[in-house]
Amino acid sequence: MITNHLLLLQKKGFRMTQARSSILNLLENTDHPLTATSIHKILKRIGVSTNITTIYRELEFLLEQKIIEKIPLFDTELHYEISGRTHHHHLMCTSCGSIQNIVLQSEKGLLEEMHNISTYDIRRHSLAFFGTCPDCT
Amino acid sequence: MITNHLLLLQKKGFRMTQARSSILNLLENTDHPLTATSIHKILKRIGVSTNITTIYRELEFLLEQKIIEKIPLFDTELHYEISGRTHHHHLMCTSCGSIQNIVLQSEKGLLEEMHNISTYDIRRHSLAFFGTCPDCT
DNA sequence: GTCCATGCAAATATTTTGCAGCAGT
DNA sequence: ACTGCTGCAAAATATTTGCATGGAC
């Protein structure tokens, strides 16, 4: 499947390779953040043999291109997801490790307050909730 | 310096060692999260020779005892800080890597909304802002 | 003396880098 | 053919574990 992101990259002179398109395709069709390892495993399962090094390199490349974003959660491993989606946050089950995206309406006041009290040039924020999911209770 | 945390641990039958008291003391007197490596370096600088393994083990121990908390930021390394402080969040400079604690008044609505839309048993949340600090601008 | 805590070495996990060869354009 | 991309191996970094010794009580 050829996505807009892929076409954009191609227009910029980058190549459309199997690794790139399958990693991008996977991230685009997944509704929660993935780690390098999980991407590797999923691709292997669906028959795409890609070296883990390539995954790391591709993730770094996609980060540079601002096509994906890094999500820090409570593991050592970093998670990644497609950027430019509806602004959202994360909800992680501390028992099974599953992660869910959530959209909140009420964060406006928070951002305003933040801009009022800080002299930083704030570019982004991350918000995550942790608890136990219904299945693990 | 002998802190309340240390006395509490002692009461529970754990020992008051130099590594434990200096790590605890450092975390208690630092107003931003630290990594295992940074703790190691600071202790070395002030003349406390402690193996990095001990630091990791002590951090794990203090986590179990709920005396400290794990803070996930955008690095690979995990940060830690004393728990039970005034509820606060973090502001990180993406240029120099410095981290500042911040207290916000306006997050109540956010938490209410979260509890309304989710069936998870939510126990905690983390909120971090990223941008450029005045010194790095 | 007991048993928790520590150091050292080594294992494991995560991420990065060098280099030669492969492949998209 | 050009040059970006990939695989493999190895390095670098972060974290964990085994075991014998040391130290707090």
Short mmCIF file of all heavy atoms in Angstrom, two decimals, chain A residues 81-132:
data_model
loop_
_atom_site.label_atom_id
_atom_site.label_comp_id
_atom_site.label_asym_id
_atom_site.label_seq_id
_atom_site.Cartn_x
_atom_site.Cartn_y
_atom_site.Cartn_z
N GLU A 81 4.79 6.65 17.21
CA GLU A 81 3.51 6.64 16.50
C GLU A 81 3.50 7.74 15.45
O GLU A 81 4.28 8.68 15.50
CB GLU A 81 2.33 6.80 17.47
CG GLU A 81 2.21 8.18 18.03
CD GLU A 81 1.01 8.32 18.97
OE1 GLU A 81 0.25 7.36 19.16
OE2 GLU A 81 0.86 9.41 19.52
N ILE A 82 2.61 7.60 14.50
CA ILE A 82 2.44 8.58 13.43
C ILE A 82 2.09 9.93 14.03
O ILE A 82 1.26 10.01 14.93
CB ILE A 82 1.30 8.12 12.48
CG1 ILE A 82 1.74 6.90 11.68
CG2 ILE A 82 0.84 9.26 11.57
CD1 ILE A 82 2.71 7.20 10.57
N SER A 83 2.70 10.99 13.54
CA SER A 83 2.36 12.32 14.04
C SER A 83 1.26 12.91 13.17
O SER A 83 0.88 12.34 12.16
CB SER A 83 3.59 13.22 14.05
OG SER A 83 4.21 13.22 12.79
N GLY A 84 0.73 14.03 13.60
CA GLY A 84 -0.27 14.71 12.80
C GLY A 84 -1.66 14.13 12.92
O GLY A 84 -2.57 14.53 12.20
N ARG A 85 -1.83 13.16 13.78
CA ARG A 85 -3.17 12.66 14.02
C ARG A 85 -3.91 13.65 14.91
O ARG A 85 -3.33 14.61 15.40
CB ARG A 85 -3.11 11.31 14.76
CG ARG A 85 -2.65 10.19 13.87
CD ARG A 85 -2.75 8.88 14.61
NE ARG A 85 -2.53 7.77 13.68
CZ ARG A 85 -2.21 6.55 14.05
NH1 ARG A 85 -2.06 6.25 15.31
NH2 ARG A 85 -2.03 5.61 13.14
N THR A 86 -5.18 13.41 15.13
CA THR A 86 -5.92 14.21 16.09
C THR A 86 -5.11 14.23 17.38
O THR A 86 -4.64 13.19 17.82
CB THR A 86 -7.29 13.56 16.37
OG1 THR A 86 -7.96 13.41 15.13
CG2 THR A 86 -8.11 14.44 17.30
N HIS A 87 -4.97 15.40 17.95
CA HIS A 87 -4.20 15.51 19.18
C HIS A 87 -4.78 14.58 20.25
O HIS A 87 -5.97 14.59 20.51
CB HIS A 87 -4.23 16.96 19.67
CG HIS A 87 -3.45 17.17 20.92
ND1 HIS A 87 -2.08 17.05 20.96
CD2 HIS A 87 -3.84 17.46 22.17
CE1 HIS A 87 -1.68 17.27 22.19
NE2 HIS A 87 -2.73 17.52 22.95
N HIS A 88 -3.93 13.79 20.83
CA HIS A 88 -4.43 12.81 21.79
C HIS A 88 -3.36 12.47 22.82
O HIS A 88 -2.22 12.91 22.73
CB HIS A 88 -4.86 11.54 21.07
CG HIS A 88 -3.71 10.84 20.42
ND1 HIS A 88 -3.28 11.14 19.15
CD2 HIS A 88 -2.88 9.87 20.87
CE1 HIS A 88 -2.25 10.38 18.84
NE2 HIS A 88 -1.97 9.61 19.87
N HIS A 89 -3.76 11.65 23.79
CA HIS A 89 -2.83 11.23 24.83
C HIS A 89 -2.90 9.73 25.01
O HIS A 89 -3.58 9.06 24.22
CB HIS A 89 -3.14 12.00 26.12
CG HIS A 89 -3.03 13.46 25.90
ND1 HIS A 89 -1.85 14.08 25.63
CD2 HIS A 89 -3.98 14.42 25.82
CE1 HIS A 89 -2.06 15.36 25.43
NE2 HIS A 89 -3.36 15.60 25.54
N HIS A 90 -2.23 9.21 26.02
CA HIS A 90 -2.14 7.76 26.15
C HIS A 90 -2.60 7.25 27.50
O HIS A 90 -2.42 7.92 28.51
CB HIS A 90 -0.72 7.31 25.83
CG HIS A 90 -0.30 7.67 24.45
ND1 HIS A 90 0.59 8.68 24.19
CD2 HIS A 90 -0.72 7.22 23.25
CE1 HIS A 90 0.72 8.81 22.88
NE2 HIS A 90 -0.06 7.94 22.28
N LEU A 91 -3.14 6.06 27.44
CA LEU A 91 -3.60 5.39 28.64
C LEU A 91 -2.99 4.00 28.61
O LEU A 91 -3.21 3.23 27.70
CB LEU A 91 -5.14 5.31 28.61
CG LEU A 91 -5.81 4.48 29.70
CD1 LEU A 91 -5.42 4.97 31.09
CD2 LEU A 91 -7.34 4.56 29.55
N MET A 92 -2.18 3.72 29.63
CA MET A 92 -1.45 2.45 29.65
C MET A 92 -1.91 1.60 30.81
O MET A 92 -2.04 2.10 31.94
CB MET A 92 0.04 2.73 29.77
CG MET A 92 0.90 1.48 29.73
SD MET A 92 2.66 1.91 29.92
CE MET A 92 3.42 0.36 29.40
N CYS A 93 -2.12 0.32 30.53
CA CYS A 93 -2.43 -0.61 31.61
C CYS A 93 -1.12 -1.09 32.22
O CYS A 93 -0.28 -1.66 31.53
CB CYS A 93 -3.23 -1.80 31.08
SG CYS A 93 -3.47 -3.06 32.36
N THR A 94 -0.96 -0.83 33.50
CA THR A 94 0.32 -1.18 34.14
C THR A 94 0.41 -2.67 34.42
O THR A 94 1.44 -3.15 34.86
CB THR A 94 0.48 -0.41 35.47
OG1 THR A 94 -0.70 -0.58 36.25
CG2 THR A 94 0.71 1.06 35.22
N SER A 95 -0.66 -3.38 34.13
CA SER A 95 -0.63 -4.82 34.34
C SER A 95 -0.25 -5.57 33.06
O SER A 95 0.70 -6.32 33.03
CB SER A 95 -1.98 -5.30 34.87
OG SER A 95 -2.02 -6.69 34.93
N CYS A 96 -0.98 -5.31 31.97
CA CYS A 96 -0.69 -6.03 30.72
C CYS A 96 0.15 -5.21 29.75
O CYS A 96 0.61 -5.73 28.74
CB CYS A 96 -1.98 -6.50 30.05
SG CYS A 96 -3.02 -5.16 29.43
N GLY A 97 0.35 -3.94 30.04
CA GLY A 97 1.21 -3.13 29.19
C GLY A 97 0.54 -2.58 27.95
O GLY A 97 1.17 -1.91 27.15
N SER A 98 -0.73 -2.86 27.76
CA SER A 98 -1.42 -2.37 26.57
C SER A 98 -1.58 -0.85 26.64
O SER A 98 -1.71 -0.28 27.72
CB SER A 98 -2.78 -3.03 26.43
OG SER A 98 -3.62 -2.61 27.48
N ILE A 99 -1.57 -0.23 25.50
CA ILE A 99 -1.65 1.22 25.43
C ILE A 99 -2.81 1.63 24.53
O ILE A 99 -3.01 1.04 23.48
CB ILE A 99 -0.35 1.82 24.85
CG1 ILE A 99 0.83 1.43 25.73
CG2 ILE A 99 -0.46 3.33 24.73
CD1 ILE A 99 2.15 1.57 25.02
N GLN A 100 -3.54 2.62 24.97
CA GLN A 100 -4.71 3.08 24.23
C GLN A 100 -4.57 4.57 23.99
O GLN A 100 -4.08 5.29 24.86
CB GLN A 100 -5.91 2.79 25.13
CG GLN A 100 -7.24 2.70 24.46
CD GLN A 100 -8.31 2.35 25.49
OE1 GLN A 100 -8.34 1.27 26.05
NE2 GLN A 100 -9.17 3.32 25.75
N ASN A 101 -5.00 5.04 22.84
CA ASN A 101 -5.02 6.47 22.59
C ASN A 101 -6.32 7.07 23.11
O ASN A 101 -7.37 6.45 22.99
CB ASN A 101 -4.92 6.76 21.10
CG ASN A 101 -3.52 6.55 20.57
OD1 ASN A 101 -2.62 6.20 21.32
ND2 ASN A 101 -3.32 6.76 19.28
N ILE A 102 -6.24 8.27 23.67
CA ILE A 102 -7.45 8.92 24.15
C ILE A 102 -7.45 10.39 23.74
O ILE A 102 -6.41 11.02 23.67
CB ILE A 102 -7.57 8.85 25.69
CG1 ILE A 102 -6.22 9.22 26.32
CG2 ILE A 102 -8.04 7.51 26.16
CD1 ILE A 102 -6.27 9.37 27.79
N VAL A 103 -8.63 10.90 23.48
CA VAL A 103 -8.77 12.30 23.11
C VAL A 103 -9.51 13.01 24.24
O VAL A 103 -10.54 12.54 24.69
CB VAL A 103 -9.56 12.44 21.78
CG1 VAL A 103 -9.81 13.90 21.47
CG2 VAL A 103 -8.79 11.78 20.65
N LEU A 104 -8.93 14.10 24.70
CA LEU A 104 -9.53 14.86 25.79
C LEU A 104 -9.95 16.25 25.29
O LEU A 104 -9.27 16.84 24.46
CB LEU A 104 -8.53 15.02 26.94
CG LEU A 104 -8.13 13.73 27.66
CD1 LEU A 104 -7.02 14.00 28.65
CD2 LEU A 104 -9.34 13.13 28.38
N GLN A 105 -11.07 16.72 25.82
CA GLN A 105 -11.56 18.04 25.41
C GLN A 105 -11.05 19.14 26.33
O GLN A 105 -11.01 20.30 25.94
CB GLN A 105 -13.10 18.06 25.45
CG GLN A 105 -13.78 16.90 24.77
CD GLN A 105 -13.42 16.79 23.29
OE1 GLN A 105 -13.20 17.80 22.63
NE2 GLN A 105 -13.34 15.57 22.78
N SER A 106 -10.65 18.77 27.52
CA SER A 106 -10.53 19.77 28.58
C SER A 106 -9.10 20.19 28.92
O SER A 106 -8.81 20.51 30.05
CB SER A 106 -11.19 19.21 29.83
OG SER A 106 -10.63 17.95 30.13
N GLU A 107 -8.24 20.19 27.94
CA GLU A 107 -6.87 20.52 28.31
C GLU A 107 -6.49 21.97 27.99
O GLU A 107 -5.37 22.39 28.27
CB GLU A 107 -5.89 19.57 27.62
CG GLU A 107 -5.90 19.64 26.12
CD GLU A 107 -4.93 18.65 25.52
OE1 GLU A 107 -3.73 18.78 25.75
OE2 GLU A 107 -5.39 17.73 24.83
N LYS A 108 -7.43 22.73 27.46
CA LYS A 108 -7.14 24.10 27.04
C LYS A 108 -6.61 24.95 28.21
O LYS A 108 -5.60 25.62 28.10
CB LYS A 108 -8.40 24.73 26.46
CG LYS A 108 -8.09 25.86 25.48
CD LYS A 108 -9.37 26.39 24.81
CE LYS A 108 -9.27 27.87 24.54
NZ LYS A 108 -10.41 28.64 25.06
N GLY A 109 -7.33 24.88 29.34
CA GLY A 109 -6.95 25.68 30.50
C GLY A 109 -5.54 25.37 30.98
O GLY A 109 -4.78 26.25 31.39
N LEU A 110 -5.21 24.12 30.87
CA LEU A 110 -3.89 23.65 31.29
C LEU A 110 -2.79 24.31 30.48
O LEU A 110 -1.79 24.81 31.01
CB LEU A 110 -3.86 22.14 31.05
CG LEU A 110 -2.94 21.29 31.86
CD1 LEU A 110 -3.42 21.25 33.30
CD2 LEU A 110 -2.91 19.88 31.29
N LEU A 111 -2.99 24.33 29.16
CA LEU A 111 -1.98 24.90 28.28
C LEU A 111 -1.87 26.41 28.49
O LEU A 111 -0.76 26.96 28.51
CB LEU A 111 -2.33 24.60 26.82
CG LEU A 111 -2.45 23.10 26.51
CD1 LEU A 111 -2.74 22.89 25.03
CD2 LEU A 111 -1.18 22.36 26.90
N GLU A 112 -3.01 27.04 28.70
CA GLU A 112 -2.99 28.48 28.96
C GLU A 112 -2.19 28.78 30.23
O GLU A 112 -1.32 29.64 30.24
CB GLU A 112 -4.42 29.01 29.13
CG GLU A 112 -5.09 29.33 27.81
CD GLU A 112 -6.58 29.58 27.97
OE1 GLU A 112 -7.03 29.77 29.13
OE2 GLU A 112 -7.29 29.58 26.94
N GLU A 113 -2.51 28.04 31.27
CA GLU A 113 -1.79 28.25 32.54
C GLU A 113 -0.30 28.06 32.34
O GLU A 113 0.53 28.85 32.81
CB GLU A 113 -2.30 27.30 33.62
CG GLU A 113 -1.62 27.58 34.95
CD GLU A 113 -2.06 26.61 36.05
OE1 GLU A 113 -2.98 25.81 35.83
OE2 GLU A 113 -1.44 26.68 37.13
N MET A 114 0.05 27.03 31.61
CA MET A 114 1.45 26.71 31.37
C MET A 114 2.16 27.87 30.66
O MET A 114 3.25 28.26 31.03
CB MET A 114 1.50 25.44 30.51
CG MET A 114 2.84 24.80 30.48
SD MET A 114 3.45 24.38 32.12
CE MET A 114 5.22 24.51 31.79
N HIS A 115 1.49 28.40 29.67
CA HIS A 115 2.11 29.51 28.93
C HIS A 115 2.23 30.76 29.81
O HIS A 115 3.15 31.54 29.65
CB HIS A 115 1.33 29.80 27.65
CG HIS A 115 1.65 28.82 26.57
ND1 HIS A 115 2.83 28.83 25.85
CD2 HIS A 115 0.96 27.74 26.11
CE1 HIS A 115 2.85 27.83 25.00
NE2 HIS A 115 1.72 27.13 25.14
N ASN A 116 1.30 30.90 30.75
CA ASN A 116 1.36 32.06 31.64
C ASN A 116 2.51 31.97 32.64
O ASN A 116 3.16 32.97 32.92
CB ASN A 116 0.04 32.20 32.41
CG ASN A 116 -1.06 32.72 31.52
OD1 ASN A 116 -0.79 33.33 30.48
ND2 ASN A 116 -2.30 32.45 31.90
N ILE A 117 2.73 30.79 33.18
CA ILE A 117 3.72 30.70 34.25
C ILE A 117 5.14 30.44 33.77
O ILE A 117 6.08 30.53 34.54
CB ILE A 117 3.34 29.61 35.29
CG1 ILE A 117 3.38 28.21 34.66
CG2 ILE A 117 1.98 29.89 35.90
CD1 ILE A 117 3.14 27.09 35.68
N SER A 118 5.30 30.11 32.49
CA SER A 118 6.64 29.72 32.05
C SER A 118 7.22 30.65 31.01
O SER A 118 6.50 31.21 30.19
CB SER A 118 6.58 28.31 31.47
OG SER A 118 7.73 28.06 30.72
N THR A 119 8.52 30.83 31.05
CA THR A 119 9.18 31.66 30.05
C THR A 119 9.79 30.81 28.94
O THR A 119 10.47 31.32 28.06
CB THR A 119 10.30 32.48 30.71
OG1 THR A 119 11.17 31.58 31.41
CG2 THR A 119 9.74 33.50 31.69
N TYR A 120 9.56 29.51 29.03
CA TYR A 120 10.06 28.62 27.99
C TYR A 120 9.26 28.83 26.70
O TYR A 120 8.10 29.23 26.74
CB TYR A 120 9.88 27.16 28.40
CG TYR A 120 10.93 26.61 29.31
CD1 TYR A 120 11.35 27.30 30.44
CD2 TYR A 120 11.50 25.36 29.05
CE1 TYR A 120 12.31 26.77 31.29
CE2 TYR A 120 12.45 24.83 29.89
CZ TYR A 120 12.86 25.53 31.01
OH TYR A 120 13.79 25.00 31.84
N ASP A 121 9.88 28.52 25.60
CA ASP A 121 9.18 28.46 24.32
C ASP A 121 8.69 27.01 24.18
O ASP A 121 9.41 26.13 23.72
CB ASP A 121 10.15 28.81 23.19
CG ASP A 121 9.49 28.66 21.83
OD1 ASP A 121 8.24 28.66 21.78
OD2 ASP A 121 10.23 28.55 20.83
N ILE A 122 7.45 26.79 24.62
CA ILE A 122 6.94 25.42 24.69
C ILE A 122 6.41 24.94 23.35
O ILE A 122 5.61 25.61 22.71
CB ILE A 122 5.85 25.31 25.78
CG1 ILE A 122 6.48 25.59 27.14
CG2 ILE A 122 5.21 23.93 25.75
CD1 ILE A 122 5.49 25.88 28.22
N ARG A 123 6.92 23.81 22.92
CA ARG A 123 6.56 23.29 21.61
C ARG A 123 5.60 22.11 21.64
O ARG A 123 4.83 21.89 20.74
CB ARG A 123 7.84 22.86 20.86
CG ARG A 123 8.72 24.02 20.48
CD ARG A 123 7.95 24.98 19.59
NE ARG A 123 8.70 26.21 19.33
CZ ARG A 123 9.59 26.33 18.34
NH1 ARG A 123 9.84 25.32 17.55
NH2 ARG A 123 10.23 27.47 18.16
N ARG A 124 5.72 21.31 22.67
CA ARG A 124 4.84 20.15 22.72
C ARG A 124 4.71 19.67 24.16
O ARG A 124 5.46 20.11 25.04
CB ARG A 124 5.33 19.02 21.82
CG ARG A 124 6.84 18.79 21.81
CD ARG A 124 7.24 17.80 20.74
NE ARG A 124 7.24 16.44 21.24
CZ ARG A 124 6.26 15.58 21.09
NH1 ARG A 124 5.19 15.92 20.43
NH2 ARG A 124 6.33 14.38 21.60
N HIS A 125 3.78 18.76 24.36
CA HIS A 125 3.62 18.20 25.69
C HIS A 125 3.19 16.75 25.55
O HIS A 125 2.73 16.33 24.49
CB HIS A 125 2.59 18.99 26.50
CG HIS A 125 1.21 18.92 25.96
ND1 HIS A 125 0.75 19.77 24.99
CD2 HIS A 125 0.19 18.08 26.24
CE1 HIS A 125 -0.51 19.47 24.70
NE2 HIS A 125 -0.88 18.44 25.44
N SER A 126 3.37 16.02 26.59
CA SER A 126 2.89 14.64 26.58
C SER A 126 2.14 14.38 27.87
O SER A 126 2.53 14.86 28.93
CB SER A 126 4.06 13.68 26.44
OG SER A 126 4.80 13.63 27.63
N LEU A 127 1.08 13.64 27.74
CA LEU A 127 0.23 13.35 28.89
C LEU A 127 -0.15 11.89 28.81
O LEU A 127 -0.61 11.41 27.79
CB LEU A 127 -1.02 14.24 28.83
CG LEU A 127 -2.12 13.99 29.84
CD1 LEU A 127 -1.62 14.11 31.27
CD2 LEU A 127 -3.27 14.97 29.61
N ALA A 128 0.11 11.18 29.89
CA ALA A 128 -0.23 9.76 29.90
C ALA A 128 -0.86 9.39 31.23
O ALA A 128 -0.49 9.93 32.27
CB ALA A 128 1.02 8.92 29.65
N PHE A 129 -1.81 8.49 31.14
CA PHE A 129 -2.48 7.98 32.34
C PHE A 129 -2.12 6.52 32.53
O PHE A 129 -1.96 5.79 31.55
CB PHE A 129 -4.00 8.13 32.21
CG PHE A 129 -4.45 9.55 32.12
CD1 PHE A 129 -4.49 10.21 30.90
CD2 PHE A 129 -4.80 10.25 33.27
CE1 PHE A 129 -4.89 11.54 30.82
CE2 PHE A 129 -5.21 11.57 33.20
CZ PHE A 129 -5.25 12.21 31.98
N PHE A 130 -2.01 6.11 33.78
CA PHE A 130 -1.64 4.73 34.08
C PHE A 130 -2.62 4.14 35.06
O PHE A 130 -3.05 4.79 36.01
CB PHE A 130 -0.23 4.70 34.66
CG PHE A 130 0.78 5.30 33.74
CD1 PHE A 130 1.06 6.65 33.77
CD2 PHE A 130 1.43 4.51 32.80
CE1 PHE A 130 1.97 7.22 32.89
CE2 PHE A 130 2.33 5.07 31.91
CZ PHE A 130 2.61 6.43 31.96
N GLY A 131 -2.99 2.90 34.81
CA GLY A 131 -3.93 2.23 35.69
C GLY A 131 -4.12 0.80 35.24
O GLY A 131 -3.29 0.25 34.54
N THR A 132 -5.25 0.22 35.64
CA THR A 132 -5.51 -1.16 35.29
C THR A 132 -6.69 -1.22 34.34
O THR A 132 -7.72 -0.58 34.60
CB THR A 132 -5.84 -1.97 36.56
OG1 THR A 132 -4.96 -1.57 37.61
CG2 THR A 132 -5.68 -3.45 36.32
#
